[in-house]
Amino acid sequence: MKAAISLLTTTNSKNLNLHSSSATLSRSALLNPKPLSRSPSFLPPIPTKIHHTRIDFSGKSHFHTNNFSPVMASSYRPEQARAPPALPLPAPPVTKARYFYVYILFKIGLCQLSVTPDKERNVAHARKAIEEAAQRGAQLVLLPEIWNSPYSNDSFPVYAEDIDAGGDASPSTAMLSEAARLLKITIVGGSIPERSGDKLYNTCCVFGADGKLKAKHRKIHLFDIDIPGKITFVESKTLTAGQSPTIVDTDVGRIGIGICYDLRFQELAMIYAARGAHLLCYPGAFNMTTGPLHWELLQRARAADNQLYVATCSPARDTESGYVAWGHSTLVGPFGEVLATTEHEETIIIAEIDYSLVELRRTNLPLLKQRRGDLYQLVDVQRLNSE
């Protein structure tokens, strides 16, 4: 009998949101990067003995060797700790080389926005922030959760948009699409209330540099909590839970998407890591009760456990609104280190992401080789059903 950490929902195999390429890339190809438009591809498995040589910009050489016992790794059966087995980390499409050091470097913009009851103002304001982030060098821009509407069950039905219909039926996503195309950037569009038939969802849309919708994530875990004397909120009064994890290949790497409360569920992040994600993006709006205690803690945990980047973006704090957001949009690195963060006011954070650190940290701490597949297993129900 397998001990399994199981994903909450079983979905149709045709609905698998894993947009990836089957092309193969050699390490020699990494040293001679192709243009950014090439499709993501997979690196060969990390060998038992690994040598890393790097010459940084100061001209100093760095040499590091790790030796692992193949007997120990074999007895642990780490390849069985994931069902289906974990995918190799794909080669990021943003690659630069200098001397003998290959690095994958780009800028991310986190737009912590003030949100008002004026939807037209919110849309125009978000566009201005996206343009400013792009002008400051961001190739990937992340917006907050529910940035076009007040965060309340009363507001969700009023502000909801038909994303699939597009155009005038969804002015918020029409703006995101146009901004991504004109600025030639990738946009993880926070989240907005979505109307689909007779159901409402809390939905995040990802747009590529061509302006096309690459993925749509509906919040999987609804925010239904009751902390007496502090905060009570029941999203399920109006919203329906999404039924599918969402991972998407973009011009800036493979990204796993979650929305706010999704951050609390480590199984989702682990599944994204097993699907080869470089970065997890969580638009969110933690409150003044759980924010100080858990917001940064959970981000660092998801990053350190899975040895990848985690980016979050919150609305700015408005003490006059019915729901008061904690703020503190943040970027965390694959060692669990806070690379950039802010306080609660409206601002735009620009920070650098270097994907070579993901492989470095996974070499320093070889968790992939040390998982006890003989004792436990993570089951990705969606992938398992699609194979």
Side-chain angles (χ1 to χ4, degrees):
M1 182 176 183
K2 298 180 180 178
I5 303 175
S6 181
L7 189 61
L8 295 180
T9 58
T10 303
T11 58
N12 189 305
S13 63
K14 294 182 180 179
N15 193 35
L16 179 59
N17 287 343
L18 178 58
H19 312 278
S20 62
S21 169
S22 60
T24 303
L25 182 69
S26 67
R27 289 195 181 276
S28 62
L30 265 179
L31 296 175
N32 300 282
K34 296 179 181 180
L36 301 185
S37 60
R38 79 179 191 271
S39 299
S41 49
F42 295 119
L43 292 175
I46 298 174
T48 301
K49 188 172 183 180
I50 303 171
H51 301 274
H52 284 277
T53 305
R54 187 182 80 188
I55 300 178
D56 62 23
F57 301 139
S58 65
K60 297 179 181 179
S61 296
H62 304 266
F63 186 79
H64 183 71
T65 302
N66 282 336
N67 290 281
F68 304 111
S69 168
V71 175
M72 179 187 73
S74 176
S75 64
Y76 285 172
R77 298 199 293 274
E79 72 284 350
Q80 296 182 20
R82 298 289 182 266
L87 298 174
L89 190 70
V94 180
T95 307
K96 299 180 182 180
R98 188 166 184 176
Y99 303 112
F100 299 108
Y101 177 34
V102 176
Y103 62 102
I104 300 90
L105 193 68
F106 68 94
K107 290 183 179 179
I108 184 173
L110 311 178
C111 299
Q112 185 164 289
L113 304 174
S114 62
V115 179
T116 74
D118 185 341
K119 185 175 182 178
E120 289 187 6
R121 176 267 178 200
N122 294 337
V123 173
H125 190 62
R127 177 162 192 156
K128 183 178 179 182
I130 292 169
E131 290 172 346
E132 180 180 339
Q135 289 170 1
R136 292 169 60 184
Q139 292 172 262
L140 170 65
V141 173
L142 176 60
L143 297 185
E145 181 185 25
I146 308 294
W147 56 267
N148 70 344
S149 160
Y151 191 91
S152 73
N153 279 314
D154 291 338
S155 298
F156 296 151
V158 177
Y159 289 76
E161 300 181 5
D162 187 340
I163 295 172
D164 291 338
D168 293 340
S170 185
S172 299
T173 58
M175 179 277 288
L176 295 177
S177 173
E178 184 178 54
R181 178 176 57 83
L182 294 177
L183 298 170
K184 294 180 173 53
I185 61 173
T186 300
I187 297 178
V188 177
S191 77
I192 66 171
E194 177 196 9
R195 184 180 302 280
S196 180
D198 60 352
K199 294 181 179 180
L200 297 177
Y201 298 93
N202 186 343
T203 302
C204 174
C205 293
V206 181
F207 291 91
D210 57 2
K212 294 182 179 179
L213 179 65
K214 296 184 72 67
K216 184 171 71 171
H217 177 78
R218 290 168 170 168
K219 189 173 186 177
I220 294 174
H221 305 93
L222 295 183
F223 181 58
D224 290 358
I225 70 165
D226 182 16
I227 303 177
K230 296 291 184 179
I231 182 172
T232 298
F233 202 101
V234 184
E235 273 189 333
S236 61
K237 283 184 177 180
T238 55
L239 301 179
T240 299
Q243 298 298 309
S244 178
T246 306
I247 192 164
V248 55
D249 283 328
T250 74
D251 288 345
V252 287
R254 181 168 292 177
I255 303 174
I257 306 295
I259 299 174
C260 199
Y261 206 52
D262 288 339
L263 177 62
R264 289 191 175 274
F265 297 87
Q266 67 268 35
E267 295 91 343
L268 181 62
M270 293 165 69
I271 282 172
Y272 286 155
R275 293 186 185 186
H278 301 100
L279 166 68
L280 307 184
C281 286
Y282 294 95
F286 271 41
N287 56 75
M288 298 297 293
T289 298
T290 61
L293 290 172
H294 299 155
W295 178 241
E296 182 181 301
L297 173 68
L298 290 168
Q299 295 171 59
R300 297 184 67 189
R302 300 294 86 84
D305 287 350
N306 298 290
Q307 299 175 305
L308 41 63
Y309 281 89
V310 170
T312 62
C313 191
S314 167
R317 190 180 305 170
D318 179 3
T319 57
E320 302 300 318
S321 67
Y323 183 95
V324 182
W326 170 240
H328 293 79
S329 302
T330 302
L331 175 67
V332 180
F335 222 39
E337 72 277 33
V338 175
L339 299 175
T341 190
T342 187
E343 295 295 325
H344 62 270
E345 61 280 326
E346 183 173 77
T347 190
I348 298 173
I349 304 170
I350 304 295
E352 286 187 338
I353 288 179
D354 181 352
Y355 285 148
S356 68
L357 293 180
V358 174
E359 187 174 355
L360 175 62
R361 296 312 183 193
R362 292 181 180 187
T363 302
N364 297 155
L365 290 174
L367 303 184
L368 292 175
K369 293 179 176 293
Q370 297 169 336
R371 287 197 167 91
R372 296 294 300 270
D374 57 327
L375 299 179
Y376 50 74
Q377 184 181 57
L378 174 74
V379 179
D380 187 338
V381 176
Q382 191 179 51
R383 275 186 64 206
L384 199 64
N385 289 345
S386 70
E387 295 187 353

